[in-house]
Amino acid sequence: MARSSPMSKILPAILLLCIFSVFRNAYAEPRHYTTVTKSQKITLHPDYTVSYINHFVFDIIDGRGLIHANRSIPIDHINELLSFEATVTHMVTGKVIKRYRPKDLMDKYYGSSSSIYSGQYLKQLILDIKEFPVRVEIIEERLSKSNFF
């Protein structure tokens, strides 16, 4: 009677494990939900004010990537928002789903410990989108009356 080698018992288990890992990776969820592209133009003016033009493009695959495109812009007596535009476009159909302007941003006030109202607040863009995949393109222009970081 012929004896079976230990290798002949292990080989089917290794083959089964390889097949399982191939199928598991084929149906795995994506590991990233957003691709981000950013460009920024900074201009120092003769009066030492600084203007920032930020351009963001977020390609969002599903709802877990929405948090990446939310924006919070600090506003106070030194920093102001000159312009803001955001466009949400469906990546498959090319249809514009929604446009955001400065009036669509929410104000969230935050104060200092010395007074209830300090004049500091955030302009926030919080996206609530149900269709995916989408491309969110944001162009914002800010002015800082100080050139210190």
Side-chain angles (χ1 to χ4, degrees):
M1 196 174 311
R3 292 177 127 189
S4 61
S5 70
M7 206 53 185
S8 65
K9 293 179 183 177
I10 296 174
L11 193 59
I14 292 173
L15 184 61
L16 187 63
L17 184 63
C18 290
I19 290 171
F20 174 74
S21 68
V22 166
F23 282 110
R24 190 187 77 197
N25 289 336
Y27 295 103
E29 293 184 20
R31 294 201 171 134
H32 67 280
Y33 312 110
T34 308
T35 304
V36 181
T37 306
K38 177 184 176 184
S39 64
Q40 184 177 52
K41 179 182 176 187
I42 302 173
T43 306
L44 178 62
H45 302 285
D47 62 352
Y48 297 107
T49 59
V50 182
S51 63
Y52 302 89
I53 299 175
N54 296 316
H55 183 214
F56 302 95
V57 177
F58 301 91
D59 291 336
I60 302 173
I61 306 303
D62 70 15
R64 292 171 284 191
L66 275 179
I67 194 168
H68 301 136
N70 291 340
R71 296 286 301 140
S72 292
I73 304 163
I75 305 294
D76 55 24
H77 65 280
I78 295 175
N79 299 296
E80 62 183 85
L81 181 64
L82 299 178
S83 67
F84 182 89
E85 182 180 329
T87 306
V88 180
T89 307
H90 196 278
M91 290 173 60
V92 176
T93 63
K95 178 184 169 197
V96 173
I97 297 171
K98 185 153 184 161
R99 293 185 193 274
Y100 294 91
R101 303 281 183 231
K103 66 178 177 59
D104 300 318
L105 301 175
M106 295 187 313
D107 292 342
K108 181 177 181 181
Y109 289 91
Y110 61 94
S112 65
S113 60
S114 63
S115 88
I116 295 174
Y117 177 72
S118 64
Q120 299 173 329
Y121 63 98
L122 298 173
K123 288 283 197 181
Q124 292 186 313
L125 171 67
I126 309 294
L127 298 172
D128 183 30
I129 300 166
K130 306 295 185 222
E131 301 177 49
F132 295 98
V134 295
R135 171 170 284 167
V136 179
E137 185 172 1
I138 300 172
I139 301 172
E140 64 185 36
E141 184 175 1
R142 298 180 295 123
L143 180 69
S144 177
K145 296 173 186 160
S146 170
N147 59 7
F148 294 105
F149 290 95

